[in-house]
Amino acid sequence: MTKYEEIRQNAAPELERLNARIHARLTSDNALMDTIVRSHLRTQGKQIRPLVVILCANMFGKVTDKVLAAAASVELLHNASLIHDDVVDESKLRRGAATINAVWDNHIAVLVGDFFTSSALREATETADMRIISTISNLGRLLSLGELSQIDTARSHTFDEKAYFNNIDKKTASLFVACARMGCYASGVSDEHTETLAEFGRLLGLCFQIRDDIFDYYPADKVGKPTGNDLREGKVTLPLLHVLLKNDAPEREEMTRLLQNDTLSDAEILRLQAYARDNGGIDYAFDRMTALRHEAAALLAGLPCSDASEALLGILDYIIARDH
């Protein structure tokens, strides 16, 4: 059993209550919607985000219905963003199963994503806490702006590490910041501890996206899912970005010119992936995650030690070490 599986097992009662709540919220009198929702929920992910909500709350209090409503709100909004992303990216598979847009069509997938979004907001209102409602509402805004910023950076061929971190701060880290805040708000945590855990969430989210980006620089058969998609969309992420910004990198100008093309062949994608790997891009990305992990661990060290705080650090270590 991995450390993350152990963490999930310890939180199994809370996760069971959470999933029962999500199923109840998504139940409707529309037969088609119920069919699609049931199919979608059968392939749910690792539920890292709601688990962060639960653990942040559990550090200082019990996991109440208010905590679970906050966790459900985050998980529903996250799922809504994935459903909409699959439409935008024309993805046919997610977690090894056919996407909603692949089975039904884009029109229905967008409507289902909207249904998840409204369900997320309804769960937030169940907490009767304006801080939680405000957090989840602002989160949707940040996720959209992060995606648009990334698209704009790709289209303008902007190779800038600061811009990269600004983008992933909005499109990924903001979600984990929201998880930490909502867990703290739901459990009555002090403002000081809430800010500390929110910053921990931000660092965890940055590591999550960097690790995800690293996967894109390996052949699909090594990762077990399609790779190179960011490069196909013109998105240059940290491993390749670091190499392109090195003045002494071999073939730097040629690779930069190659990335100006609107479309890249499979052979060009493989070449760019190898270029990032062979010139220290992957090592640099792991070094950045290690530095972020040290910052995050120092934050937790300043809080009361508990099983929940150890589990949060365990989740961060799992995110950095995961192989898919």
Side-chain angles (χ1 to χ4, degrees):
M1 180 184 295
T2 66
K3 178 64 176 177
Y4 183 71
E5 288 169 342
E6 182 182 333
I7 292 168
R8 272 192 62 111
Q9 186 177 69
N10 291 337
E14 290 81 9
L15 290 175
E16 186 175 344
R17 290 164 58 200
L18 168 74
N19 288 318
R21 187 173 191 113
I22 289 172
H23 277 78
R25 175 58 68 193
L26 292 173
T27 299
S28 72
D29 58 4
N30 184 287
L32 177 58
M33 183 66 77
D34 279 355
T35 297
I36 296 170
V37 165
R38 283 197 303 271
S39 176
H40 178 80
L41 292 180
R42 279 198 292 270
T43 58
Q44 66 182 15
K46 298 179 180 66
Q47 296 193 305
I48 293 174
R49 294 155 190 83
L51 192 51
V52 170
V53 177
I54 290 168
L55 290 171
C56 285
N58 204 20
M59 282 183 69
F60 300 96
K62 294 181 179 179
V63 180
T64 62
D65 286 343
K66 184 176 180 179
V67 172
L68 293 177
S73 180
V74 166
E75 182 70 350
L76 286 164
L77 186 62
H78 172 57
N79 274 268
S81 70
L82 295 181
I83 293 167
H84 285 154
D85 284 350
D86 288 338
V87 172
V88 173
D89 298 338
E90 299 181 358
S91 301
K92 302 304 179 186
L93 289 173
R94 179 174 289 279
R95 300 167 187 154
T99 57
I100 295 172
N101 51 293
V103 175
W104 299 97
D105 68 30
N106 287 345
H107 184 190
I108 288 178
V110 169
L111 293 173
V112 174
D114 291 346
F115 181 69
F116 271 74
T117 299
S118 62
S119 298
L121 295 174
R122 288 188 66 185
E123 278 296 301
T125 61
E126 288 290 320
T127 68
D129 190 325
M130 281 305 300
R131 297 169 303 174
I132 290 174
I133 296 168
S134 176
T135 299
I136 199 70
S137 301
N138 191 52
L139 174 60
R141 182 174 182 271
L142 288 173
L143 294 175
S144 299
L145 291 173
E147 286 291 343
L148 281 173
S149 293
Q150 187 177 56
I151 291 170
D152 185 48
T153 299
R155 289 181 176 178
S156 63
H157 304 294
T158 301
F159 303 142
D160 181 84
E161 189 170 308
K162 183 178 180 181
Y164 167 80
F165 275 99
N166 285 338
N167 289 343
I168 69 171
D169 210 328
K170 290 188 180 74
K171 66 167 277 187
T172 304
S174 63
L175 187 50
F176 289 94
V177 171
C179 290
R181 286 191 180 281
M182 292 168 70
C184 290
Y185 293 151
S187 198
V189 178
S190 70
D191 290 347
E192 181 182 359
H193 289 337
T194 296
E195 292 308 311
T196 298
L197 285 170
E199 178 60 12
F200 172 85
R202 189 182 76 85
L203 297 171
L204 186 152
L206 293 177
C207 287
F208 188 97
Q209 188 58 56
I210 293 170
R211 188 66 186 97
D212 238 25
D213 291 342
I214 290 172
F215 289 132
D216 213 47
Y217 290 90
Y218 286 91
D221 59 351
K222 297 289 186 182
V223 179
K225 62 180 180 179
T227 62
N229 292 331
D230 283 340
L231 290 171
R232 288 186 182 86
E233 296 171 8
K235 298 172 184 175
V236 178
T237 54
L238 191 60
L240 180 57
L241 184 62
H242 170 68
V243 179
L244 294 175
L245 293 174
K246 290 166 59 178
N247 291 328
D248 60 346
E251 303 178 278
R252 175 173 171 266
E253 292 185 6
E254 182 182 351
M255 293 299 174
T256 301
R257 284 195 301 272
L258 184 61
L259 287 163
Q260 307 297 320
N261 297 334
D262 291 333
T263 58
L264 293 169
S265 68
D266 289 345
E268 289 169 333
I269 294 291
L270 290 172
R271 187 180 178 192
L272 287 164
Q273 289 173 323
Y275 181 71
R277 296 196 307 271
D278 295 344
N279 289 281
I282 305 299
D283 292 338
Y284 177 77
F286 270 107
D287 286 345
R288 291 304 304 266
M289 284 194 294
T290 299
L292 293 169
R293 194 263 185 205
H294 287 327
E295 287 184 53
L299 290 171
L300 289 181
L303 298 175
C305 184
S306 66
D307 290 343
S309 63
E310 290 180 8
L312 284 171
L313 190 58
I315 288 175
L316 177 55
D317 287 337
Y318 162 75
I319 282 171
I320 293 172
R322 65 198 168 106
D323 57 8
H324 64 280

